[in-house]
PDB file of all heavy atoms in Angstrom:
ATOM      1  N   ARG D   1      97.193  81.307  43.342  1.00 97.00           N
ATOM      2  CA  ARG D   1      97.208  82.752  43.608  1.00 97.00           C
ATOM      3  C   ARG D   1      95.833  83.382  43.415  1.00 97.00           C
ATOM      4  O   ARG D   1      95.432  84.238  44.204  1.00 97.00           O
ATOM      5  CB  ARG D   1      98.241  83.448  42.717  1.00 97.00           C
ATOM      6  CG  ARG D   1      99.651  83.161  43.141  1.00 97.00           C
ATOM      7  CD  ARG D   1     100.634  83.966  42.341  1.00 97.00           C
ATOM      8  NE  ARG D   1     102.000  83.613  42.681  1.00 97.00           N
ATOM      9  CZ  ARG D   1     103.024  84.413  42.453  1.00 97.00           C
ATOM     10  NH1 ARG D   1     102.859  85.587  41.881  1.00 97.00           N
ATOM     11  NH2 ARG D   1     104.239  84.026  42.784  1.00 97.00           N
ATOM     12  N   LEU D   2      95.136  82.971  42.377  1.00 97.00           N
ATOM     13  CA  LEU D   2      93.789  83.511  42.147  1.00 97.00           C
ATOM     14  C   LEU D   2      92.874  83.184  43.313  1.00 97.00           C
ATOM     15  O   LEU D   2      92.169  84.054  43.826  1.00 97.00           O
ATOM     16  CB  LEU D   2      93.189  82.936  40.862  1.00 97.00           C
ATOM     17  CG  LEU D   2      93.772  83.402  39.540  1.00 97.00           C
ATOM     18  CD1 LEU D   2      93.127  82.649  38.388  1.00 97.00           C
ATOM     19  CD2 LEU D   2      93.611  84.902  39.357  1.00 97.00           C
ATOM     20  N   LYS D   3      92.870  81.928  43.714  1.00 96.00           N
ATOM     21  CA  LYS D   3      91.929  81.475  44.742  1.00 96.00           C
ATOM     22  C   LYS D   3      92.293  81.923  46.153  1.00 96.00           C
ATOM     23  O   LYS D   3      91.438  81.916  47.038  1.00 96.00           O
ATOM     24  CB  LYS D   3      91.802  79.952  44.688  1.00 96.00           C
ATOM     25  CG  LYS D   3      91.153  79.456  43.401  1.00 96.00           C
ATOM     26  CD  LYS D   3      89.733  79.983  43.252  1.00 96.00           C
ATOM     27  CE  LYS D   3      89.023  79.360  42.078  1.00 96.00           C
ATOM     28  NZ  LYS D   3      87.596  79.670  42.056  1.00 96.00           N
ATOM     29  N   SER D   4      93.530  82.339  46.366  1.00 95.00           N
ATOM     30  CA  SER D   4      93.935  82.764  47.706  1.00 95.00           C
ATOM     31  C   SER D   4      93.826  84.278  47.902  1.00 95.00           C
ATOM     32  O   SER D   4      94.066  84.775  48.996  1.00 95.00           O
ATOM     33  CB  SER D   4      95.363  82.297  48.007  1.00 95.00           C
ATOM     34  OG  SER D   4      96.287  82.952  47.159  1.00 95.00           O
ATOM     35  N   ASP D   5      93.447  85.007  46.869  1.00 93.00           N
ATOM     36  CA  ASP D   5      93.343  86.464  46.940  1.00 93.00           C
ATOM     37  C   ASP D   5      91.868  86.858  46.935  1.00 93.00           C
ATOM     38  O   ASP D   5      91.118  86.479  46.030  1.00 93.00           O
ATOM     39  CB  ASP D   5      94.068  87.077  45.729  1.00 93.00           C
ATOM     40  CG  ASP D   5      94.136  88.593  45.779  1.00 93.00           C
ATOM     41  OD1 ASP D   5      93.213  89.223  46.334  1.00 93.00           O
ATOM     42  OD2 ASP D   5      95.105  89.150  45.241  1.00 93.00           O
ATOM     43  N   ASP D   6      91.442  87.621  47.931  1.00 90.00           N
ATOM     44  CA  ASP D   6      90.034  88.026  48.033  1.00 90.00           C
ATOM     45  C   ASP D   6      89.551  88.762  46.784  1.00 90.00           C
ATOM     46  O   ASP D   6      88.386  88.665  46.418  1.00 90.00           O
ATOM     47  CB  ASP D   6      89.818  88.927  49.249  1.00 90.00           C
ATOM     48  CG  ASP D   6      89.944  88.176  50.557  1.00 90.00           C
ATOM     49  OD1 ASP D   6      89.829  86.929  50.543  1.00 90.00           O
ATOM     50  OD2 ASP D   6      90.165  88.823  51.597  1.00 90.00           O
ATOM     51  N   ILE D   7      90.418  89.479  46.113  1.00 86.00           N
ATOM     52  CA  ILE D   7      90.035  90.269  44.946  1.00 86.00           C
ATOM     53  C   ILE D   7      89.867  89.398  43.702  1.00 86.00           C
ATOM     54  O   ILE D   7      88.996  89.653  42.878  1.00 86.00           O
ATOM     55  CB  ILE D   7      91.078  91.380  44.685  1.00 86.00           C
ATOM     56  CG1 ILE D   7      91.089  92.346  45.873  1.00 86.00           C
ATOM     57  CG2 ILE D   7      90.800  92.119  43.388  1.00 86.00           C
ATOM     58  CD1 ILE D   7      92.240  93.316  45.878  1.00 86.00           C
ATOM     59  N   THR D   8      90.674  88.343  43.565  1.00 88.00           N
ATOM     60  CA  THR D   8      90.662  87.551  42.330  1.00 88.00           C
ATOM     61  C   THR D   8      90.059  86.159  42.482  1.00 88.00           C
ATOM     62  O   THR D   8      90.084  85.389  41.531  1.00 88.00           O
ATOM     63  CB  THR D   8      92.095  87.414  41.771  1.00 88.00           C
ATOM     64  OG1 THR D   8      92.911  86.731  42.737  1.00 88.00           O
ATOM     65  CG2 THR D   8      92.692  88.753  41.430  1.00 88.00           C
ATOM     66  N   GLN D   9      89.502  85.819  43.631  1.00 90.00           N
ATOM     67  CA  GLN D   9      89.014  84.455  43.830  1.00 90.00           C
ATOM     68  C   GLN D   9      87.643  84.188  43.240  1.00 90.00           C
ATOM     69  O   GLN D   9      87.209  83.050  43.146  1.00 90.00           O
ATOM     70  CB  GLN D   9      89.015  84.088  45.310  1.00 90.00           C
ATOM     71  CG  GLN D   9      88.023  84.853  46.153  1.00 90.00           C
ATOM     72  CD  GLN D   9      88.075  84.433  47.589  1.00 90.00           C
ATOM     73  OE1 GLN D   9      87.670  83.332  47.927  1.00 90.00           O
ATOM     74  NE2 GLN D   9      88.571  85.304  48.433  1.00 90.00           N
ATOM     75  N   LYS D  10      86.946  85.209  42.740  1.00 92.00           N
ATOM     76  CA  LYS D  10      85.597  85.049  42.216  1.00 92.00           C
ATOM     77  C   LYS D  10      85.491  84.136  40.994  1.00 92.00           C
ATOM     78  O   LYS D  10      84.610  83.283  40.942  1.00 92.00           O
ATOM     79  CB  LYS D  10      85.000  86.415  41.887  1.00 92.00           C
ATOM     80  CG  LYS D  10      83.598  86.335  41.312  1.00 92.00           C
ATOM     81  CD  LYS D  10      83.138  87.693  40.820  1.00 92.00           C
ATOM     82  CE  LYS D  10      81.864  87.593  40.039  1.00 92.00           C
ATOM     83  NZ  LYS D  10      82.029  87.272  38.632  1.00 92.00           N
ATOM     84  N   PRO D  11      86.328  84.298  39.969  1.00 96.00           N
ATOM     85  CA  PRO D  11      86.089  83.462  38.777  1.00 96.00           C
ATOM     86  C   PRO D  11      86.299  81.975  39.044  1.00 96.00           C
ATOM     87  O   PRO D  11      87.210  81.581  39.770  1.00 96.00           O
ATOM     88  CB  PRO D  11      87.104  83.960  37.752  1.00 96.00           C
ATOM     89  CG  PRO D  11      88.065  84.818  38.470  1.00 96.00           C
ATOM     90  CD  PRO D  11      87.465  85.181  39.794  1.00 96.00           C
ATOM     91  N   ALA D  12      85.422  81.179  38.429  1.00 97.00           N
ATOM     92  CA  ALA D  12      85.622  79.729  38.456  1.00 97.00           C
ATOM     93  C   ALA D  12      86.852  79.421  37.604  1.00 97.00           C
ATOM     94  O   ALA D  12      87.154  80.142  36.651  1.00 97.00           O
ATOM     95  CB  ALA D  12      84.398  79.025  37.894  1.00 97.00           C
ATOM     96  N   VAL D  13      87.565  78.343  37.950  1.00 98.00           N
ATOM     97  CA  VAL D  13      88.762  77.948  37.202  1.00 98.00           C
ATOM     98  C   VAL D  13      88.573  76.533  36.668  1.00 98.00           C
ATOM     99  O   VAL D  13      88.303  75.610  37.434  1.00 98.00           O
ATOM    100  CB  VAL D  13      90.029  78.022  38.078  1.00 98.00           C
ATOM    101  CG1 VAL D  13      91.235  77.481  37.322  1.00 98.00           C
ATOM    102  CG2 VAL D  13      90.293  79.454  38.539  1.00 98.00           C
ATOM    103  N   VAL D  14      88.719  76.402  35.345  1.00 98.00           N
ATOM    104  CA  VAL D  14      88.707  75.098  34.695  1.00 98.00           C
ATOM    105  C   VAL D  14      90.120  74.823  34.219  1.00 98.00           C
ATOM    106  O   VAL D  14      90.622  75.516  33.337  1.00 98.00           O
ATOM    107  CB  VAL D  14      87.748  75.061  33.480  1.00 98.00           C
ATOM    108  CG1 VAL D  14      87.822  73.701  32.790  1.00 98.00           C
ATOM    109  CG2 VAL D  14      86.325  75.389  33.891  1.00 98.00           C
ATOM    110  N   MET D  15      90.783  73.864  34.836  1.00 97.00           N
ATOM    111  CA  MET D  15      92.108  73.465  34.376  1.00 97.00           C
ATOM    112  C   MET D  15      91.912  72.589  33.146  1.00 97.00           C
ATOM    113  O   MET D  15      91.073  71.690  33.152  1.00 97.00           O
ATOM    114  CB  MET D  15      92.851  72.683  35.462  1.00 97.00           C
ATOM    115  CG  MET D  15      93.052  73.428  36.764  1.00 97.00           C
ATOM    116  SD  MET D  15      94.135  74.836  36.660  1.00 97.00           S
ATOM    117  CE  MET D  15      95.705  74.051  36.853  1.00 97.00           C
ATOM    118  N   CYS D  16      92.678  72.867  32.102  1.00 95.00           N
ATOM    119  CA  CYS D  16      92.548  72.144  30.837  1.00 95.00           C
ATOM    120  C   CYS D  16      93.965  71.835  30.358  1.00 95.00           C
ATOM    121  O   CYS D  16      94.674  72.727  29.893  1.00 95.00           O
ATOM    122  CB  CYS D  16      91.795  73.017  29.841  1.00 95.00           C
ATOM    123  SG  CYS D  16      91.429  72.202  28.292  1.00 95.00           S
ATOM    124  N   SER D  17      94.379  70.568  30.515  1.00 92.00           N
ATOM    125  CA  SER D  17      95.782  70.249  30.274  1.00 92.00           C
ATOM    126  C   SER D  17      95.978  68.849  29.719  1.00 92.00           C
ATOM    127  O   SER D  17      95.151  67.962  29.906  1.00 92.00           O
ATOM    128  CB  SER D  17      96.561  70.371  31.586  1.00 92.00           C
ATOM    129  OG  SER D  17      97.914  70.043  31.393  1.00 92.00           O
ATOM    130  N   ILE D  18      97.115  68.685  29.080  1.00 92.00           N
ATOM    131  CA  ILE D  18      97.544  67.371  28.586  1.00 92.00           C
ATOM    132  C   ILE D  18      97.996  66.484  29.749  1.00 92.00           C
ATOM    133  O   ILE D  18      98.077  65.275  29.624  1.00 92.00           O
ATOM    134  CB  ILE D  18      98.657  67.529  27.536  1.00 92.00           C
ATOM    135  CG1 ILE D  18      98.798  66.250  26.734  1.00 92.00           C
ATOM    136  CG2 ILE D  18      99.964  67.959  28.164  1.00 92.00           C
ATOM    137  CD1 ILE D  18      99.548  66.420  25.433  1.00 92.00           C
ATOM    138  N   LYS D  19      98.258  67.087  30.904  1.00 89.00           N
ATOM    139  CA  LYS D  19      98.655  66.331  32.096  1.00 89.00           C
ATOM    140  C   LYS D  19      97.391  65.684  32.669  1.00 89.00           C
ATOM    141  O   LYS D  19      96.548  66.381  33.219  1.00 89.00           O
ATOM    142  CB  LYS D  19      99.317  67.252  33.113  1.00 89.00           C
ATOM    143  CG  LYS D  19     100.636  67.822  32.613  1.00 89.00           C
ATOM    144  CD  LYS D  19     101.233  68.837  33.574  1.00 89.00           C
ATOM    145  CE  LYS D  19     101.649  68.273  34.886  1.00 89.00           C
ATOM    146  NZ  LYS D  19     102.870  67.510  34.962  1.00 89.00           N
ATOM    147  N   THR D  20      97.279  64.367  32.539  1.00 83.00           N
ATOM    148  CA  THR D  20      96.032  63.701  32.918  1.00 83.00           C
ATOM    149  C   THR D  20      96.198  62.586  33.946  1.00 83.00           C
ATOM    150  O   THR D  20      95.305  61.758  34.109  1.00 83.00           O
ATOM    151  CB  THR D  20      95.338  63.130  31.664  1.00 83.00           C
ATOM    152  OG1 THR D  20      96.235  62.245  31.004  1.00 83.00           O
ATOM    153  CG2 THR D  20      94.903  64.237  30.725  1.00 83.00           C
ATOM    154  N   GLU D  21      97.311  62.581  34.642  1.00 89.00           N
ATOM    155  CA  GLU D  21      97.479  61.594  35.711  1.00 89.00           C
ATOM    156  C   GLU D  21      96.584  61.967  36.894  1.00 89.00           C
ATOM    157  O   GLU D  21      96.202  63.125  37.058  1.00 89.00           O
ATOM    158  CB  GLU D  21      98.947  61.547  36.163  1.00 89.00           C
ATOM    159  CG  GLU D  21      99.916  61.101  35.088  1.00 89.00           C
ATOM    160  CD  GLU D  21      99.686  59.669  34.647  1.00 89.00           C
ATOM    161  OE1 GLU D  21      99.404  58.815  35.515  1.00 89.00           O
ATOM    162  OE2 GLU D  21      99.761  59.411  33.433  1.00 89.00           O
ATOM    163  N   ARG D  22      96.260  61.002  37.725  1.00 90.00           N
ATOM    164  CA  ARG D  22      95.410  61.269  38.901  1.00 90.00           C
ATOM    165  C   ARG D  22      96.011  62.344  39.781  1.00 90.00           C
ATOM    166  O   ARG D  22      95.290  63.162  40.349  1.00 90.00           O
ATOM    167  CB  ARG D  22      95.210  59.987  39.707  1.00 90.00           C
ATOM    168  CG  ARG D  22      94.368  58.973  38.985  1.00 90.00           C
ATOM    169  CD  ARG D  22      94.105  57.822  39.862  1.00 90.00           C
ATOM    170  NE  ARG D  22      92.841  58.131  40.552  1.00 90.00           N
ATOM    171  CZ  ARG D  22      92.087  57.225  41.113  1.00 90.00           C
ATOM    172  NH1 ARG D  22      92.447  55.982  41.117  1.00 90.00           N
ATOM    173  NH2 ARG D  22      90.965  57.563  41.690  1.00 90.00           N
ATOM    174  N   PHE D  23      97.343  62.336  39.893  1.00 91.00           N
ATOM    175  CA  PHE D  23      97.994  63.350  40.717  1.00 91.00           C
ATOM    176  C   PHE D  23      97.737  64.748  40.168  1.00 91.00           C
ATOM    177  O   PHE D  23      97.558  65.693  40.932  1.00 91.00           O
ATOM    178  CB  PHE D  23      99.506  63.099  40.803  1.00 91.00           C
ATOM    179  CG  PHE D  23     100.222  64.171  41.559  1.00 91.00           C
ATOM    180  CD1 PHE D  23     100.198  64.193  42.946  1.00 91.00           C
ATOM    181  CD2 PHE D  23     100.895  65.190  40.893  1.00 91.00           C
ATOM    182  CE1 PHE D  23     100.829  65.201  43.651  1.00 91.00           C
ATOM    183  CE2 PHE D  23     101.529  66.195  41.592  1.00 91.00           C
ATOM    184  CZ  PHE D  23     101.492  66.211  42.982  1.00 91.00           C
ATOM    185  N   ASP D  24      97.721  64.908  38.842  1.00 90.00           N
ATOM    186  CA  ASP D  24      97.487  66.219  38.234  1.00 90.00           C
ATOM    187  C   ASP D  24      96.098  66.738  38.606  1.00 90.00           C
ATOM    188  O   ASP D  24      95.936  67.904  38.978  1.00 90.00           O
ATOM    189  CB  ASP D  24      97.638  66.149  36.715  1.00 90.00           C
ATOM    190  CG  ASP D  24      99.024  65.685  36.305  1.00 90.00           C
ATOM    191  OD1 ASP D  24     100.014  66.242  36.814  1.00 90.00           O
ATOM    192  OD2 ASP D  24      99.116  64.749  35.493  1.00 90.00           O
ATOM    193  N   LEU D  25      95.103  65.876  38.508  1.00 91.00           N
ATOM    194  CA  LEU D  25      93.742  66.245  38.896  1.00 91.00           C
ATOM    195  C   LEU D  25      93.693  66.594  40.383  1.00 91.00           C
ATOM    196  O   LEU D  25      93.138  67.624  40.776  1.00 91.00           O
ATOM    197  CB  LEU D  25      92.788  65.096  38.595  1.00 91.00           C
ATOM    198  CG  LEU D  25      91.370  65.231  39.119  1.00 91.00           C
ATOM    199  CD1 LEU D  25      90.666  66.428  38.512  1.00 91.00           C
ATOM    200  CD2 LEU D  25      90.585  63.963  38.853  1.00 91.00           C
ATOM    201  N   TYR D  26      94.287  65.745  41.202  1.00 93.00           N
ATOM    202  CA  TYR D  26      94.320  65.993  42.646  1.00 93.00           C
ATOM    203  C   TYR D  26      94.967  67.337  42.957  1.00 93.00           C
ATOM    204  O   TYR D  26      94.435  68.134  43.729  1.00 93.00           O
ATOM    205  CB  TYR D  26      95.083  64.857  43.355  1.00 93.00           C
ATOM    206  CG  TYR D  26      95.426  65.181  44.783  1.00 93.00           C
ATOM    207  CD1 TYR D  26      94.474  65.056  45.788  1.00 93.00           C
ATOM    208  CD2 TYR D  26      96.702  65.637  45.130  1.00 93.00           C
ATOM    209  CE1 TYR D  26      94.780  65.374  47.107  1.00 93.00           C
ATOM    210  CE2 TYR D  26      97.016  65.954  46.434  1.00 93.00           C
ATOM    211  CZ  TYR D  26      96.050  65.824  47.422  1.00 93.00           C
ATOM    212  OH  TYR D  26      96.356  66.147  48.722  1.00 93.00           O
ATOM    213  N   TRP D  27      96.116  67.596  42.345  1.00 95.00           N
ATOM    214  CA  TRP D  27      96.864  68.817  42.654  1.00 95.00           C
ATOM    215  C   TRP D  27      96.102  70.055  42.170  1.00 95.00           C
ATOM    216  O   TRP D  27      96.096  71.086  42.836  1.00 95.00           O
ATOM    217  CB  TRP D  27      98.262  68.752  42.054  1.00 95.00           C
ATOM    218  CG  TRP D  27      99.169  69.786  42.628  1.00 95.00           C
ATOM    219  CD1 TRP D  27      99.758  70.813  41.956  1.00 95.00           C
ATOM    220  CD2 TRP D  27      99.577  69.930  43.989  1.00 95.00           C
ATOM    221  NE1 TRP D  27     100.502  71.573  42.807  1.00 95.00           N
ATOM    222  CE2 TRP D  27     100.408  71.066  44.071  1.00 95.00           C
ATOM    223  CE3 TRP D  27      99.306  69.212  45.152  1.00 95.00           C
ATOM    224  CZ2 TRP D  27     100.975  71.494  45.265  1.00 95.00           C
ATOM    225  CZ3 TRP D  27      99.880  69.644  46.343  1.00 95.00           C
ATOM    226  CH2 TRP D  27     100.711  70.762  46.388  1.00 95.00           C
ATOM    227  N   ALA D  28      95.436  69.958  41.025  1.00 95.00           N
ATOM    228  CA  ALA D  28      94.646  71.084  40.515  1.00 95.00           C
ATOM    229  C   ALA D  28      93.520  71.423  41.489  1.00 95.00           C
ATOM    230  O   ALA D  28      93.289  72.596  41.807  1.00 95.00           O
ATOM    231  CB  ALA D  28      94.086  70.756  39.140  1.00 95.00           C
ATOM    232  N   MET D  29      92.828  70.401  41.972  1.00 95.00           N
ATOM    233  CA  MET D  29      91.737  70.631  42.917  1.00 95.00           C
ATOM    234  C   MET D  29      92.270  71.179  44.243  1.00 95.00           C
ATOM    235  O   MET D  29      91.645  72.029  44.869  1.00 95.00           O
ATOM    236  CB  MET D  29      90.932  69.357  43.142  1.00 95.00           C
ATOM    237  CG  MET D  29      90.219  68.866  41.905  1.00 95.00           C
ATOM    238  SD  MET D  29      89.115  70.132  41.233  1.00 95.00           S
ATOM    239  CE  MET D  29      88.797  69.454  39.635  1.00 95.00           C
ATOM    240  N   LYS D  30      93.430  70.709  44.628  1.00 96.00           N
ATOM    241  CA  LYS D  30      94.058  71.189  45.868  1.00 96.00           C
ATOM    242  C   LYS D  30      94.389  72.686  45.769  1.00 96.00           C
ATOM    243  O   LYS D  30      94.368  73.394  46.772  1.00 96.00           O
ATOM    244  CB  LYS D  30      95.333  70.371  46.115  1.00 96.00           C
ATOM    245  CG  LYS D  30      95.920  70.541  47.459  1.00 96.00           C
ATOM    246  CD  LYS D  30      95.293  69.577  48.422  1.00 96.00           C
ATOM    247  CE  LYS D  30      96.117  69.531  49.675  1.00 96.00           C
ATOM    248  NZ  LYS D  30      95.283  69.422  50.851  1.00 96.00           N
ATOM    249  N   GLN D  31      94.679  73.161  44.554  1.00 96.00           N
ATOM    250  CA  GLN D  31      94.999  74.577  44.352  1.00 96.00           C
ATOM    251  C   GLN D  31      93.741  75.441  44.234  1.00 96.00           C
ATOM    252  O   GLN D  31      93.822  76.655  44.169  1.00 96.00           O
ATOM    253  CB  GLN D  31      95.856  74.766  43.097  1.00 96.00           C
ATOM    254  CG  GLN D  31      97.145  73.985  43.079  1.00 96.00           C
ATOM    255  CD  GLN D  31      97.933  74.096  44.366  1.00 96.00           C
ATOM    256  OE1 GLN D  31      98.242  75.196  44.818  1.00 96.00           O
ATOM    257  NE2 GLN D  31      98.260  72.971  44.977  1.00 96.00           N
ATOM    258  N   GLY D  32      92.565  74.802  44.131  1.00 96.00           N
ATOM    259  CA  GLY D  32      91.311  75.543  44.092  1.00 96.00           C
ATOM    260  C   GLY D  32      90.552  75.464  42.788  1.00 96.00           C
ATOM    261  O   GLY D  32      89.539  76.152  42.625  1.00 96.00           O
ATOM    262  N   ALA D  33      91.011  74.645  41.837  1.00 97.00           N
ATOM    263  CA  ALA D  33      90.294  74.519  40.562  1.00 97.00           C
ATOM    264  C   ALA D  33      88.881  74.003  40.789  1.00 97.00           C
ATOM    265  O   ALA D  33      88.641  73.191  41.681  1.00 97.00           O
ATOM    266  CB  ALA D  33      91.057  73.590  39.613  1.00 97.00           C
ATOM    267  N   ASP D  34      87.958  74.481  39.971  1.00 97.00           N
ATOM    268  CA  ASP D  34      86.562  74.069  40.072  1.00 97.00           C
ATOM    269  C   ASP D  34      86.255  72.871  39.183  1.00 97.00           C
ATOM    270  O   ASP D  34      85.272  72.158  39.411  1.00 97.00           O
ATOM    271  CB  ASP D  34      85.654  75.241  39.697  1.00 97.00           C
ATOM    272  CG  ASP D  34      85.844  76.408  40.646  1.00 97.00           C
ATOM    273  OD1 ASP D  34      85.309  76.343  41.760  1.00 97.00           O
ATOM    274  OD2 ASP D  34      86.555  77.370  40.295  1.00 97.00           O
ATOM    275  N   ALA D  35      87.072  72.667  38.146  1.00 97.00           N
ATOM    276  CA  ALA D  35      86.891  71.535  37.234  1.00 97.00           C
ATOM    277  C   ALA D  35      88.217  71.246  36.548  1.00 97.00           C
ATOM    278  O   ALA D  35      89.117  72.092  36.522  1.00 97.00           O
ATOM    279  CB  ALA D  35      85.809  71.842  36.200  1.00 97.00           C
ATOM    280  N   TYR D  36      88.325  70.030  35.987  1.00 97.00           N
ATOM    281  CA  TYR D  36      89.557  69.609  35.307  1.00 97.00           C
ATOM    282  C   TYR D  36      89.174  68.835  34.052  1.00 97.00           C
ATOM    283  O   TYR D  36      88.401  67.887  34.124  1.00 97.00           O
ATOM    284  CB  TYR D  36      90.391  68.720  36.228  1.00 97.00           C
ATOM    285  CG  TYR D  36      91.805  68.491  35.754  1.00 97.00           C
ATOM    286  CD1 TYR D  36      92.850  69.236  36.272  1.00 97.00           C
ATOM    287  CD2 TYR D  36      92.089  67.534  34.783  1.00 97.00           C
ATOM    288  CE1 TYR D  36      94.153  69.031  35.841  1.00 97.00           C
ATOM    289  CE2 TYR D  36      93.386  67.336  34.350  1.00 97.00           C
ATOM    290  CZ  TYR D  36      94.409  68.086  34.890  1.00 97.00           C
ATOM    291  OH  TYR D  36      95.697  67.896  34.458  1.00 97.00           O
ATOM    292  N   ILE D  37      89.711  69.275  32.920  1.00 96.00           N
ATOM    293  CA  ILE D  37      89.454  68.606  31.644  1.00 96.00           C
ATOM    294  C   ILE D  37      90.795  68.255  31.021  1.00 96.00           C
ATOM    295  O   ILE D  37      91.658  69.124  30.857  1.00 96.00           O
ATOM    296  CB  ILE D  37      88.646  69.511  30.696  1.00 96.00           C
ATOM    297  CG1 ILE D  37      87.272  69.806  31.302  1.00 96.00           C
ATOM    298  CG2 ILE D  37      88.521  68.869  29.317  1.00 96.00           C
ATOM    299  CD1 ILE D  37      86.443  70.790  30.514  1.00 96.00           C
ATOM    300  N   GLY D  38      90.968  66.974  30.690  1.00 94.00           N
ATOM    301  CA  GLY D  38      92.203  66.530  30.051  1.00 94.00           C
ATOM    302  C   GLY D  38      92.165  66.749  28.541  1.00 94.00           C
ATOM    303  O   GLY D  38      91.107  66.683  27.925  1.00 94.00           O
TER     304      GLY D  38
END
């Protein structure tokens, strides 16, 4: 939602989660995350 809205897409997003499977990283990047930290 942040990355798809012209008003809220400016901030970089760092996903930081206990979910560390390759799919989690892939899906986070697919949603627009700029970085992923497990």
